[in-house]
Amino acid sequence: MSAAQDSSPSTSEQPFSAESYFATQPPPPTLDADVRNVRSFVSQQVAVGRKVVLVTSGGTTVPLELNVVRFLDNFSAGTRGATSAEYFLRAGYAVIFMHRQHSLQPFSRHYSHSTNPFLDFLELEDAPQEQTDERTVIDHARPIITVHPSDPEHLRSVLSAYKAVQKAGTLHSVTFVTVNEYLWLLRAVSKELHLLGRNAMYYLAAAVSDFFLPREKMSEHKIQSGKGSLILEMDQVPKTLKPMVDEWTPEGFIVSFKLETDTTLLVPKARASLERYGHQVVIGNELHRRKFEVVFVSRSSSSSGIVGYDKPGFEETWLRIDEKASAGGKEIEEDIINELVTRHLSWIKSVNT
Amino acid sequence: MSAAQDSSPSTSEQPFSAESYFATQPPPPTLDADVRNVRSFVSQQVAVGRKVVLVTSGGTTVPLELNVVRFLDNFSAGTRGATSAEYFLRAGYAVIFMHRQHSLQPFSRHYSHSTNPFLDFLELEDAPQEQTDERTVIDHARPIITVHPSDPEHLRSVLSAYKAVQKAGTLHSVTFVTVNEYLWLLRAVSKELHLLGRNAMYYLAAAVSDFFLPREKMSEHKIQSGKGSLILEMDQVPKTLKPMVDEWTPEGFIVSFKLETDTTLLVPKARASLERYGHQVVIGNELHRRKFEVVFVSRSSSSSGIVGYDKPGFEETWLRIDEKASAGGKEIEEDIINELVTRHLSWIKSVNT
């Protein structure tokens, strides 16, 4: 099989730790400006005592060339993240929406240019008659544009939620394309949100590449074809949950996602992730059932929580909606966010008990 | 260097020819339905004597797993193809727009959800007063939606072109995601367009992967991380220009693109491509200058055209617009399509001389 892992590293180098990653890979040029904007957004939310959630969304790319023509990508339109952001906003959170450029965004996601293309809503109509003294003028040359959505009620509701969020200033967007941009932003934004202590939630829904090509191994120009097969060897992306929990934002309420195509792997991999990184919740979802079914895996409240002493217990909570409800417009993200808001509140309160 | 070609094939297999490719890789399940729709569209255009251009647009993916989570992609938003399609329509062509799902499309491209997001154009206003006998009713609960674009003249012009094309029925869309879907569609659509003889043009602007992973080498489930580095070995995608010219559509006017990041490679690679495949035009473009400058490379009319007898001559025509004109809304695709329409007409006439 060609798409295979090499179980014995073929290079003498160790896998990148987060520390060695940031020491060797260059920060994106827009990082400082992005961080300044996030800082100002966060301070506005702190001032009014609002909880803030970082929602990451969409897939990251791994460019194969410095002048990038080809890249490895992770499948994600950004539906989970964009939808969830809307429900967090509705629940009163301020949202930092850190997403892949051009992936779906809250509100506008309902009207992508493929589904419900908005030009189909618009009509040109002759401008209304103008009565000037004795002449009646119809302005055929400058017709007016009118809106005729297929579902006006829905557009009204999306639009009014969108305008309300704009007015309240509770949504702040940050974009990434490559996995390198994602990693630098995640660290920097987590450190900014650290200010909020337990009032910060991290909802890590982006589909982040597990592999990358270190800068020093990238080809400068487009890889030329016609010279036989292509062989790529990529390094592992460092795990970021560990330093998030240990250093960047120890008090944050951190929710990660596990996407698998083999359902039997979901719970064991989610448990392993909680044991390894010590964060709060893993949401497991199977690629084809992800709009109808997810599983929350967390440390059970009855366990001692002392890793290595006794085996900590885990608990699973399944959330399901049926496909009929989904076809009728019900979104599982509504239930996911409701559940998380409750758990986050307990997490905030637990520090005082 | 890790992102490298293997100049000696590491497997004993020969590179795939187009024939062996289609004999071993499965057709997409929607192929038959897509072809039926194209056939019906083509026959409508034949009935009215309209020229037809196949515009391919956007990048193709190479899935690494059967249950696809990761894929290789080629950088392309679909700007060249979507823009060009508009100018072909304006020039009186019928357009088959074969594009990567969710890439830019003619007309709606002006209002992507990142640039000019359309929700920003819309406002909710209280419904106008209604006079019923003695009561005046203002319907606050069902506000009306009004349009306030930042550039109304531009939206009017886009919208009126869009509505005219819809009415004339001169635009037909076909979508692909993977390179496999692209290849099967390209062959099938070319064979359908073959009917039109010299009245068919092929404008192959899609960014097609040079490499792919044959189905038998794909991993069924998501490739697991945490087991060291990832090693991928991919096969070469068969060259399709050769069978297009020789078998699928020998009379078609075929325009291919060369995208390079190293400008010095443009003309030599374009000439090599014309020599190898015998089609009509290669349009060369450099990644960062592609919106301002392209080069048309074709066999010079003075050459004998007998390959292998005397060295055929080539001619280059550079089209350039300056960056100021571009900032003012001028699009180089307008000039590209003007030039091609003229050349296509000569090509059609040359059969009768």
Side-chain angles (χ1 to χ4, degrees):
Chain A
M1 205 189 66
S2 281
Q5 293 82 38
D6 189 5
S7 53
S8 60
S10 64
T11 59
S12 58
E13 304 146 40
Q14 286 295 305
F16 281 87
S17 66
E19 208 173 36
S20 63
Y21 183 92
F22 292 112
T24 57
Q25 304 301 307
T30 54
L31 184 68
D32 289 346
D34 284 340
V35 171
R36 269 196 305 277
N37 293 335
V38 166
R39 186 172 304 156
S40 136
F41 179 78
V42 168
S43 69
Q44 285 158 31
Q45 309 313 321
V46 169
V48 296
R50 211 179 263 123
K51 292 193 280 283
V52 179
V53 60
L54 170 69
V55 175
T56 70
S57 183
T60 64
T61 70
V62 180
L64 304 188
E65 297 123 339
L66 287 176
N67 283 290
V68 56
V69 173
R70 299 194 183 83
F71 53 92
L72 195 78
D73 203 345
N74 272 52
F75 168 79
S76 170
T79 311
R80 178 78 84 207
T83 308
S84 300
E86 277 183 37
Y87 289 106
F88 276 119
L89 288 162
R90 198 189 282 186
Y93 279 72
V95 174
I96 298 175
F97 186 64
M98 188 174 129
H99 65 286
R100 162 75 170 275
Q101 191 185 20
H102 304 308
S103 67
L104 292 178
Q105 292 182 44
F107 308 112
S108 71
R109 72 182 171 102
H110 301 279
Y111 303 94
S112 84
H113 61 247
S114 311
T115 60
N116 290 324
F118 97 102
L119 286 177
D120 285 346
F121 291 0
L122 302 183
E123 294 294 340
L124 287 168
E125 289 171 17
D126 286 334
Q129 298 186 353
E130 249 177 65
Q131 202 90 31
T132 60
D133 293 343
E134 285 134 54
R135 297 175 309 131
T136 298
V137 181
I138 299 177
D139 191 352
H140 291 291
R142 299 176 57 89
I144 56 166
I145 303 163
T146 56
V147 196
H148 306 270
S150 53
D151 183 347
E153 211 48 73
H154 184 246
L155 177 54
R156 258 192 289 269
S157 124
V158 170
L159 194 55
S160 93
Y162 175 66
K163 299 285 176 189
V165 164
Q166 279 196 315
K167 203 172 160 192
T170 47
L171 174 61
H172 180 75
S173 285
V174 184
T175 62
F176 60 82
V177 175
T178 66
V179 67
N180 184 56
E181 288 163 2
Y182 171 87
L183 292 170
W184 279 95
L185 278 169
L186 181 65
R187 184 173 76 157
V189 174
S190 299
K191 288 181 172 180
E192 293 301 322
L193 280 175
H194 179 39
L195 249 183
L196 284 148
R198 295 210 163 202
N199 279 328
M201 195 197 299
Y202 298 82
Y203 185 82
L204 307 173
V208 182
S209 178
D210 293 310
F211 304 101
F212 81 111
L213 205 55
R215 195 168 175 92
E216 62 276 20
K217 290 188 182 174
M218 283 167 71
S219 167
E220 184 181 353
H221 285 295
K222 184 179 174 186
I223 299 168
Q224 295 300 318
S225 66
K227 297 180 182 167
S229 60
L230 174 76
I231 297 188
L232 288 175
E233 187 192 334
M234 288 193 247
D235 290 55
Q236 277 189 66
V237 165
K239 301 296 177 189
T240 46
L241 280 167
K242 193 75 190 152
M244 277 187 86
V245 172
D246 292 347
E247 301 164 39
W248 305 344
T249 181
E251 289 188 306
F253 185 79
I254 301 176
V255 183
S256 71
F257 281 80
K258 273 265 170 249
L259 176 73
E260 294 292 339
T261 59
D262 180 351
T263 314
T264 61
L265 292 177
L266 278 181
V267 172
K269 293 203 71 173
R271 289 180 176 197
S273 173
L274 287 177
E275 276 200 323
R276 194 171 305 130
Y277 309 121
H279 59 302
Q280 282 67 46
V281 182
V282 177
I283 300 182
N285 48 166
E286 191 278 322
L287 185 63
H288 301 102
R289 298 275 311 147
R290 70 192 188 284
K291 295 193 175 176
F292 314 114
E293 183 179 275
V294 300
V295 58
F296 279 54
V297 184
S298 56
R299 217 171 287 274
S300 62
S301 41
S302 55
S303 82
S304 76
I306 305 168
V307 181
Y309 181 69
D310 62 356
K311 188 112 183 121
F314 294 99
E315 52 189 29
E316 282 102 47
T317 311
W318 287 88
L319 297 185
R320 292 189 181 91
I321 62 172
D322 66 29
E323 305 198 12
K324 253 190 225 159
S326 169
K330 165 76 182 175
E331 296 175 314
I332 196 170
E333 287 80 4
E334 183 176 3
D335 298 348
I336 295 175
I337 276 63
N338 279 343
E339 176 70 23
L340 287 177
V341 167
T342 308
R343 292 186 184 212
H344 189 202
L345 211 58
S346 310
W347 170 254
I348 292 169
K349 284 183 183 156
S350 66
V351 78
N352 302 320
T353 56
Chain B
M1 203 190 65
S2 281
Q5 292 82 39
D6 189 4
S7 53
S8 59
S10 63
T11 58
S12 58
E13 305 145 39
Q14 286 295 304
F16 280 88
S17 66
E19 208 172 35
S20 63
Y21 182 93
F22 292 112
T24 57
Q25 304 302 306
T30 54
L31 184 68
D32 289 346
D34 284 340
V35 171
R36 270 197 304 277
N37 293 336
V38 166
R39 187 172 302 156
S40 136
F41 179 77
V42 168
S43 70
Q44 285 159 29
Q45 309 312 322
V46 169
V48 296
R50 210 179 264 123
K51 293 193 279 285
V52 180
V53 61
L54 170 69
V55 174
T56 70
S57 184
T60 63
T61 70
V62 180
L64 304 188
E65 296 123 340
L66 287 176
N67 284 291
V68 55
V69 173
R70 299 194 182 84
F71 53 92
L72 196 78
D73 202 344
N74 272 54
F75 168 78
S76 170
T79 311
R80 178 79 85 208
T83 309
S84 300
E86 277 184 36
Y87 288 105
F88 276 120
L89 289 162
R90 196 189 281 186
Y93 278 71
V95 174
I96 298 174
F97 187 63
M98 188 176 129
H99 66 286
R100 163 75 171 275
Q101 192 185 20
H102 304 308
S103 68
L104 292 178
Q105 292 184 43
F107 308 112
S108 71
R109 71 180 171 102
H110 301 280
Y111 303 94
S112 84
H113 62 248
S114 311
T115 60
N116 289 324
F118 98 102
L119 285 177
D120 285 344
F121 292 180
L122 302 184
E123 294 294 340
L124 287 169
E125 290 171 18
D126 285 336
Q129 297 186 353
E130 247 178 67
Q131 202 87 32
T132 61
D133 293 343
E134 286 136 53
R135 297 177 307 132
T136 297
V137 182
I138 298 178
D139 191 351
H140 291 290
R142 298 177 58 89
I144 56 166
I145 303 163
T146 57
V147 194
H148 305 270
S150 53
D151 183 348
E153 211 47 73
H154 185 246
L155 177 55
R156 257 194 288 269
S157 126
V158 169
L159 193 56
S160 95
Y162 176 67
K163 299 287 177 187
V165 163
Q166 279 196 314
K167 201 170 160 195
T170 46
L171 174 60
H172 181 74
S173 286
V174 185
T175 62
F176 59 83
V177 176
T178 66
V179 67
N180 185 55
E181 288 164 3
Y182 171 88
L183 292 170
W184 279 95
L185 278 170
L186 180 66
R187 184 172 77 156
V189 174
S190 299
K191 287 181 173 180
E192 293 300 322
L193 280 175
H194 180 40
L195 248 184
L196 283 148
R198 296 209 164 202
N199 279 328
M201 196 197 296
Y202 299 82
Y203 184 82
L204 306 174
V208 182
S209 177
D210 293 311
F211 304 101
F212 80 111
L213 204 57
R215 194 168 175 91
E216 61 276 18
K217 291 188 180 173
M218 282 167 73
S219 166
E220 184 182 350
H221 286 296
K222 184 179 175 186
I223 298 168
Q224 295 301 317
S225 65
K227 297 181 182 167
S229 59
L230 175 74
I231 297 189
L232 289 176
E233 186 192 333
M234 289 194 245
D235 290 55
Q236 277 189 67
V237 165
K239 300 296 176 188
T240 46
L241 280 166
K242 193 75 188 152
M244 278 187 86
V245 172
D246 292 348
E247 302 164 40
W248 304 345
T249 180
E251 288 188 307
F253 185 79
I254 301 176
V255 183
S256 71
F257 282 79
K258 272 266 170 249
L259 177 73
E260 294 293 338
T261 59
D262 179 351
T263 314
T264 61
L265 292 176
L266 278 181
V267 171
K269 294 203 73 175
R271 288 181 177 197
S273 173
L274 287 176
E275 273 198 325
R276 194 172 306 129
Y277 309 121
H279 61 300
Q280 283 68 48
V281 182
V282 177
I283 300 182
N285 50 166
E286 190 278 321
L287 184 65
H288 300 103
R289 298 276 309 148
R290 69 194 189 284
K291 295 195 174 172
F292 314 114
E293 182 180 275
V294 300
V295 57
F296 279 54
V297 184
S298 57
R299 218 169 287 274
S300 64
S301 41
S302 55
S303 83
S304 76
I306 305 168
V307 180
Y309 180 70
D310 60 358
K311 188 110 185 124
F314 294 100
E315 51 188 31
E316 283 103 46
T317 309
W318 288 88
L319 296 186
R320 292 188 181 92
I321 62 172
D322 64 31
E323 303 198 13
K324 252 189 225 160
S326 170
K330 166 75 182 177
E331 296 175 314
I332 197 169
E333 286 80 4
E334 183 176 5
D335 298 347
I336 295 175
I337 275 64
N338 279 343
E339 176 71 23
L340 287 176
V341 167
T342 307
R343 292 186 184 211
H344 189 201
L345 211 58
S346 309
W347 169 255
I348 293 169
K349 283 182 180 157
S350 66
V351 78
N352 301 320
T353 57

